[in-house]
Amino acid sequence: EVSTEDPERAFCTLANREDLNPEEGSIYHCLYQFTCNEKLTETNKLLCDVCTQRHYGPKKNIKSEKKYVYTDAKKQMLISLAPPVLTLHLKRFQQAGFNLRKVNRHIKFPEVIDLAPFCTVKCKNVAEGNTKVLYSLYGVVEHSGTMRFGHYTAYAKMRSMNNHLSDLVLRGQSPQASETEPVKGQWFHISDTHVQAVSASKVLSSQAYLLFYERLL
């Protein structure tokens, strides 16, 4: 479905992306790269129904003659609906000839992340006037080993119930709280049947493969 919107606001976000200046090797940098504005030109031009009809008339006449007009365009992936639970899956492999190689680089991630620079200005479940969409980290999955073998472990935070998250999941209500701090709780490292209490710094230094955040604001 193609919708016509104000071109001046089509690529606008809830918070200014240019003020972000993300550190390379961080989750913010990953999100920034994933949501960058792309130019579609040459063989990547966009088929434009409006331009086609302007040149060749109504759509019913176009199919028989197979005439289409392609035009330069811009493309950007932005979040239009902020999820109650944010799951980030890091791509930890790269092509090396005909083989896949695991990427062992540490990616920095915070306890509280703000998605506003990656949300469309018309994000559906964000209250008008809000310029922050905050999430608190509550789980991490880590993989050790190579592409052929290895071991998965997890970090999980034992915490009190997030009432704002319940409202969002069960009733579709946008969070109205103003918390900017991570949800308080104790972190645990889980490896098979072994469970051990750990510090937040230990969690943040892990080689994350999957990150789980719950919405605060």
Side-chain angles (χ1 to χ4, degrees):
E1 180 182 349
V2 178
S3 59
T4 303
E5 296 192 16
D6 180 358
E8 294 299 322
R9 292 171 63 82
F11 298 95
C12 292
T13 51
L14 284 173
N16 191 347
R17 291 168 57 83
E18 304 312 314
D19 292 340
L20 192 58
N21 192 26
E23 180 183 357
E24 187 173 352
S26 69
I27 201 68
Y28 274 116
H29 188 259
C30 294
L31 288 168
Y32 186 87
Q33 292 290 96
F34 186 74
T35 57
C36 273
N37 194 312
E38 302 176 52
K39 292 183 179 179
L40 304 179
T41 60
E42 299 179 353
T43 57
N44 290 323
K45 284 185 177 182
L46 184 72
L47 191 157
C48 177
D49 288 334
V50 175
C51 302
T52 300
Q53 292 185 43
R54 186 183 299 132
H55 281 78
Y56 300 112
K59 186 177 286 188
K60 62 181 180 180
N61 298 329
I62 299 171
K63 293 181 180 179
S64 59
E65 298 179 12
K66 294 185 178 180
K67 293 180 179 178
Y68 303 97
V69 174
Y70 293 82
T71 183
D72 290 345
K74 290 193 296 183
K75 169 190 170 185
Q76 188 174 28
M77 302 278 285
L78 293 173
I79 298 167
S80 63
L81 186 70
V85 172
L86 174 68
T87 304
L88 299 176
H89 186 178
L90 300 181
K91 180 182 175 182
R92 285 209 167 270
F93 64 90
Q94 64 183 15
Q95 192 78 30
F98 294 102
N99 299 316
L100 292 176
R101 177 183 301 165
K102 185 184 175 187
V103 177
N104 290 310
R105 181 180 182 181
H106 174 67
I107 300 298
K108 296 181 181 178
F109 55 94
E111 281 196 83
V112 173
I113 191 170
D114 184 6
L115 275 194
F118 317 108
C119 291
T120 174
V121 72
K122 295 182 179 180
C123 199
K124 296 181 180 66
N125 57 348
V126 176
E128 187 175 354
N130 276 7
T131 57
K132 289 184 179 295
V133 183
L134 301 180
Y135 288 81
S136 178
L137 184 71
Y138 74 89
V140 179
V141 173
E142 184 178 40
H143 178 266
S144 58
T146 67
M147 292 291 295
R148 293 183 178 277
F149 63 90
H151 181 57
Y152 289 97
T153 58
Y155 294 91
K157 178 186 279 190
M158 187 174 70
R159 63 215 185 281
S160 58
M161 183 175 177
N162 183 339
N163 293 321
H164 305 299
L165 183 63
S166 300
D167 289 340
L168 186 60
V169 173
L170 300 177
R171 304 177 187 85
Q173 298 175 357
S174 298
Q176 298 297 323
S178 58
E179 292 96 335
T180 58
E181 297 296 323
V183 176
K184 293 182 179 179
Q186 174 63 54
W187 281 100
F188 289 90
H189 182 230
I190 304 133
S191 178
D192 294 334
T193 59
H194 180 70
V195 179
Q196 179 183 12
V198 294
S199 64
S201 60
K202 172 70 173 176
V203 177
L204 297 178
S205 65
S206 65
Q207 191 182 108
Y209 180 56
L210 288 165
L211 296 168
F212 299 91
Y213 288 87
E214 58 187 326
R215 189 167 170 190
L216 291 175
L217 176 65

